[in-house]
């Protein structure tokens, strides 16, 4: 059983700090960004996790279903939502040990409940936004628009291989890269710290995803990083994964 979590980092009762459900679809679209440019936009103590000298930055879209607090796991049904994130793979020092995970610059959701709870009842301030998603026979067409004019979109389908131009030498390498980065941190609603959350699952069914087109305005708007500076690297998808999200200690 492959479980990704850190017992010493729990905050209080497990059932009160955990939600569980099913990841119906999780698409990660990855770009290469220069190490210096990547370091400039990260808050302390995070640093970019480099692969062949390049930071891995990108967008993530998750369809979650049957979500409910672990303390209410006997309920016959749960909530569903579409969610998105702009993220970067990172490393940082903690108690003399180098750790790794992802830093999430921005979270969006089409669930008002998720938006209200984010940064309050559960880690990570989350914007309420509009999503338009179709997923049929492995073909995904995704568009997100927000109140503050951020747009994010991509179109693609399940595939067999990652691009030859990827900084990753194999699909197994990219799968391991994301598996080891289960801890995610994002800005708190008000405090000057980064709130933490950990993905826990005993299923890791990641596979390559072919991107026909993709675009986001966030990195240019927030950090003046034009898309021409972010070279497309690869994309992956996960489907039908039973999982938990667990609160972990904040940093910063």
């Amino acid at each position: 059983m492959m479980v990704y979590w850190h017992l010493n980092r729990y905050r209080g009762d497990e059932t009160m700090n955990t939600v569980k459900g099913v990841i119906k679809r999780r698409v990660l679209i990855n770009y290469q960004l220069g190490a210096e440019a990547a370091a400039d936009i990260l808050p302390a103590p995070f640093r970019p996790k480099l692969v062949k000298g390049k930071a891995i930055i990108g967008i993530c879209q998750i369809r979650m279903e049957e979500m409910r607090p672990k303390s209410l796991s006997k309920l016959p049904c749960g909530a569903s939502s579409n969610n998105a994130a702009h993220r970067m793979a990172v490393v940082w020092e903690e108690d003399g040990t180098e750790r790794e995970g992802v830093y999430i610059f921005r979270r969006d959701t089409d669930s008002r409940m998720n938006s209200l709870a984010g940064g309050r009842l559960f880690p990570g301030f989350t914007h309420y936004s509009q999503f338009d998603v179709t997923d049929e026979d492995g073909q995904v067409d995704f568009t997100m628009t927000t109140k503050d004019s951020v747009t994010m979109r991509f179109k693609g389908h399940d595939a067999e291989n990652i691009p030859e131009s990827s900084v990753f030498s194999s699909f197994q390498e990219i799968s391991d890269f994301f598996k080891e980065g289960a801890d995610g941190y994002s800005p708190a609603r008000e405090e000057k710290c980064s709130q933490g959350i950990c993905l826990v699952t005993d299923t890791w069914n990641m596979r390559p995803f072919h991107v026909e087109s993709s675009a986001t305005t966030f990195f240019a708007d927030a950090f003046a990083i034009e898309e021409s500076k972010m070279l497309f690297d690869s994309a992956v998808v996960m489907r039908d994964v039973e999982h938990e999200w667990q609160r972990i200690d904040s940093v910063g």
Side-chain angles (χ1 to χ4, degrees), residues 55 58-59 63 86 92 102 104 111 121 135 173 212 215 219 248:
I59 57 179
R63 169 69 181 179
H86 290 80
W92 69 98
V102 295
I104 302 158
S111 165
L121 301 179
D135 184 358
E173 182 181 354
E212 299 170 23
F219 294 113
I248 55 179

Side-chain angles (χ1 to χ4, degrees), residues 68-224:
R68 52 198 180 276
K70 190 170 183 177
S71 58
L72 302 176
S73 59
K74 292 184 179 180
L75 288 177
C77 60
S80 299
S81 62
N82 287 297
N83 306 272
H86 290 80
R87 62 209 297 273
M88 185 193 300
V90 295
V91 294
W92 69 98
E93 297 292 328
E94 188 174 303
D95 298 326
T97 300
E98 185 174 85
R99 300 187 55 80
E100 60 183 279
V102 295
Y103 184 78
I104 302 158
F105 300 96
R106 178 185 173 114
R107 297 178 184 273
D108 288 87
T109 183
D110 66 357
S111 165
R112 292 191 181 277
M113 180 177 66
N114 288 1
S115 180
L116 290 171
R120 294 189 177 99
L121 301 179
F122 215 68
F125 172 71
T126 305
H127 299 261
Y128 177 68
S129 303
Q130 300 296 316
F131 289 67
D132 184 6
V133 191
T134 59
D135 184 358
E136 297 179 356
D137 300 323
Q139 177 79 36
V140 182
D141 195 342
F142 170 88
T143 301
M144 180 189 79
T145 55
T146 73
K147 293 180 179 179
D148 53 348
S149 302
V150 171
T151 60
M152 171 177 158
R153 63 181 184 274
F154 68 85
K155 185 176 183 180
H157 56 83
D158 294 6
E160 297 297 327
N161 300 292
I162 61 173
E164 293 183 1
S165 57
S166 172
V167 294
F168 297 96
S169 60
S170 67
F171 171 70
Q172 187 60 52
E173 182 181 354
I174 193 172
S175 179
D176 291 343
F177 180 89
F178 288 111
K179 184 188 297 183
E180 293 164 3
D183 289 355
Y185 289 88
S186 54
R189 186 173 288 270
E190 295 179 354
E191 300 175 16
K192 292 183 178 180
C193 69
S194 298
Q195 296 181 313
I197 191 171
C198 181
L199 171 62
V200 179
T201 177
D202 59 3
T203 303
W204 195 259
N205 62 4
M206 185 173 280
R207 64 175 298 170
F209 186 82
H210 174 74
V211 175
E212 299 170 23
S213 62
S214 67
T216 175
T217 62
F218 173 74
F219 294 113
D221 292 346
F223 304 114

